[in-house]
Amino acid sequence: MTAMTAEISTAQPLVSLKDMVEKTITSNPEVQARYHKFLEAGYEQEVARGNFLPDANIVSTYRKQEEMIKLNNGTATPRMNNELVLRQMIFDGFATSNDVKRLGHTSRVRYYELQSAMQNTTLEFMRAYIDSLRYRELIQFAKDNYVVHKQLFDRIQERVTAGVARKVDLEQAGGRLALAEANLLTEMTNLHDVTARMQRLYGDLPPDTLEAPTFFNGGVQPSAAEALKLAYLQNPDLLAAMEDIQAKEKEIKTSEARYMPRLDLQARKNLGTSSDGENSNAAADVLELTMNFNLFNGFSDSNLVKQSAERLNGSRDLRDKACVDARQIVSIAYNDINQLAVQRTYRERHTTSIENAREAYRRQFDIGQRTLLDLLDTENEYFQSKRSLANTQYDLQVAYARVYAGQGELLRKVGAARGNLPEYSREEYMDAENVCQAVAPVQIIVDKEALLANAKPLSSTYTSLAKP
């Protein structure tokens, strides 16, 4: 009873995949850096919005001025003066309004960059998570394979010692045993490395028990073109590029504001006194409207507009790059899903056939129709078939994760989310800026019947071997 209680008390609680992903996207340093960039962009917009409001300043001056005429009426210019200045921008060529809009789009750029970082980090985490499950299973296969090879090696060694088997058989069995040990060490190393990957992303060592993922049960769209259409609507890198185009367009308008006059309303109240304690004539309150119209500043304004225009062209190029990148990612991953699903069927058939042959070889060995080396051959092929089937199954899960990440769907498929983030609706200008074409490469399908019909007949040697 005591032993059972101790075992239960030391067992780790099961941590769900959803909880692990949410911990990753809220504590991973790369994601956190993007999150703070997003917050920074929001404050930057508020800084620009402050230009709509008045600013108040107290200006203190100390003056040493030569007096040409001695004044005795108490209106001398004060040596020390304090002045309250209140200034309100009336018109600045819409520079402030366009700058606020630009920074609003920039904030959305940072938001989608954060979403991209979360999707990519989740994808990287899912790769490590699935690989952890993969190598834990492959280690068990390698252990079983090693045990069988060691048992068969010992039996062959007994037969060689008894003089009923050849020494070369023992050498061959020893080589197979060494390979089985090497395979076991390889899988253990792979598990160690993938555990380090998970620790980097997750922040802690993974638990001993990992939940079997089910995020891929929803499947994918019936065609690659439809999968691409969804990616073009939701891929965060593409959305960030389209928001950046809007930001650069507003930047051009902000630069063009330099061609317009600026109007400011300014109020000044002089708080200073003259050196003899009397108020000076400079103490009068002033309310004035000022206009500043730049006539020439060395072509800086026109070059600034051209610079902003080139930035806009660069943003459009990055938008096009995001299109082709999303198309490549989703197209390849979508095709991998289809091909791996078919491969899984063949590998299951192969594993079943080899397992049946393995059992038949064991029965034939019992009646003297097979040697121990024959058993080693079937055991090795059975081990390789199980490894191939397991790798195919886990590769299929990774392919689903890659498609979902390319579509901006991976977090939702896992059921994870990060709190305290706004939800932005899709704007009309995104549809206008979306120039991506949902055209995916066509997978080549081999006509097996035509392939066999056009094949050369077997040579006479193979034909004679095929005859009973």
Side-chain angles (χ1 to χ4, degrees), residues 61-78:
T61 59
Y62 176 80
R63 177 181 300 167
K64 182 66 175 177
Q65 180 176 335
E66 181 181 1
E67 297 180 357
M68 303 299 295
I69 301 176
K70 183 68 175 178
L71 299 177
N72 296 319
N73 57 1
T75 60
T77 302

Side-chain angles (χ1 to χ4, degrees), residues 261-277:
R262 178 187 174 99
L263 298 177
D264 291 285
L265 182 64
Q266 183 170 279
R268 292 187 291 119
K269 181 175 182 59
N270 197 302
L271 307 176
T273 57
S274 63
S275 58
D276 58 4

Side-chain angles (χ1 to χ4, degrees), residues 123-162:
L123 174 60
E124 192 176 356
F125 173 81
M126 289 305 304
R127 287 179 183 269
Y129 187 93
I130 293 171
D131 283 345
S132 294
L133 293 171
R134 180 202 309 265
Y135 292 122
R136 290 182 183 188
E137 185 173 352
L138 293 182
I139 281 179
Q140 189 57 51
F141 292 164
K143 287 179 179 178
D144 296 340
N145 185 60
Y146 166 73
V147 169
V148 171
H149 276 71
K150 185 64 170 69
Q151 290 173 343
L152 291 176
F153 174 81
D154 291 342
R155 292 186 65 177
I156 292 176
Q157 189 175 39
E158 292 174 359
R159 293 169 65 89
V160 171
T161 303

Side-chain angles (χ1 to χ4, degrees), residues 15-25 122 125-126 129 202 211 213 411-417:
V15 182
S16 67
L17 174 60
K18 171 181 176 295
D19 293 338
M20 294 182 71
V21 170
E22 288 183 344
K23 180 180 183 301
T24 299
I25 61 176
T122 302
F125 173 81
M126 289 305 304
Y129 187 93
Y202 180 55
E211 175 189 7
L411 280 172
R412 190 181 69 83
K413 291 291 185 180
V414 176

Side-chain angles (χ1 to χ4, degrees), residues 214-234:
T214 59
F215 67 93
F216 47 82
N217 287 342
V220 291
Q221 288 67 37
S223 68
E226 293 184 54
L228 285 174
K229 289 179 182 178
L230 181 59
Y232 293 153
L233 291 175
Q234 299 182 164

Side-chain angles (χ1 to χ4, degrees), residues 35-52:
Y35 176 67
H36 291 297
K37 284 288 186 183
F38 168 63
L39 296 181
E40 174 190 337
Y43 289 121
E44 187 178 7
Q45 184 184 23
E46 293 304 314
V47 170
R49 202 188 303 274
N51 292 328
F52 285 124

Side-chain angles (χ1 to χ4, degrees), residues 216-411:
F216 47 82
N217 287 342
V220 291
Q221 288 67 37
S223 68
E226 293 184 54
L228 285 174
K229 289 179 182 178
L230 181 59
Y232 293 153
L233 291 175
Q234 299 182 164
N235 181 274
D237 291 322
L238 180 57
L239 296 180
M242 289 190 288
E243 286 290 350
D244 194 52
I245 290 175
Q246 297 299 313
K248 294 303 186 293
E249 289 178 348
K250 295 297 186 270
E251 182 180 337
I252 291 177
K253 293 182 179 180
T254 302
S255 301
E256 290 173 342
R258 292 170 173 259
Y259 293 129
M260 299 183 184
R262 178 187 174 99
L263 298 177
D264 291 285
L265 182 64
Q266 183 170 279
R268 292 187 291 119
K269 181 175 182 59
N270 197 302
L271 307 176
T273 57
S274 63
S275 58
D276 58 4
E278 298 291 336
N279 290 333
S280 72
N281 57 3
D285 297 338
V286 177
L287 180 64
E288 57 188 1
L289 180 66
T290 63
M291 182 187 75
N292 183 10
F293 199 165
N294 172 42
L295 298 179
F296 179 73
N297 69 342
F299 306 106
S300 295
D301 295 340
S302 61
N303 287 319
L304 183 62
V305 172
K306 293 176 182 178
Q307 180 187 29
S308 300
E310 291 304 320
R311 287 177 178 170
L312 174 61
N313 292 333
S315 296
R316 287 173 175 162
D317 292 335
L318 292 177
R319 183 266 322 269
D320 296 342
K321 180 180 183 300
C323 280
V324 297
D325 287 348
R327 181 177 61 197
Q328 174 180 316
I329 291 170
V330 174
S331 297
I332 293 177
Y334 188 92
N335 182 69
D336 286 346
I337 289 176
N338 294 331
Q339 299 306 310
L340 288 168
V342 176
Q343 284 186 30
R344 180 176 59 182
T345 302
Y346 291 132
R347 295 195 186 282
E348 287 175 346
R349 189 183 307 170
H350 176 232
T351 302
T352 301
S353 298
I354 295 303
E355 186 175 10
N356 293 335
R358 172 172 169 258
E359 294 300 322
Y361 269 46
R362 288 185 173 183
R363 290 193 297 269
Q364 291 173 358
F365 172 78
D366 292 337
I367 61 176
Q369 293 182 349
R370 294 290 177 183
T371 66
L372 288 172
L373 289 179
D374 292 333
L375 296 185
L376 280 176
D377 289 336
T378 56
E379 288 295 338
N380 188 60
E381 188 171 359
Y382 180 59
F383 168 68
Q384 294 297 338
S385 68
K386 289 197 300 180
R387 288 188 78 259
S388 297
L389 175 59
N391 282 324
T392 300
Q393 291 171 334
Y394 289 118
D395 287 344
L396 181 59
Q397 295 179 20
V398 173
Y400 274 105
R402 287 159 50 208
V403 169
Y404 295 151
Q407 295 174 331
E409 284 275 283
L410 183 55
L411 280 172

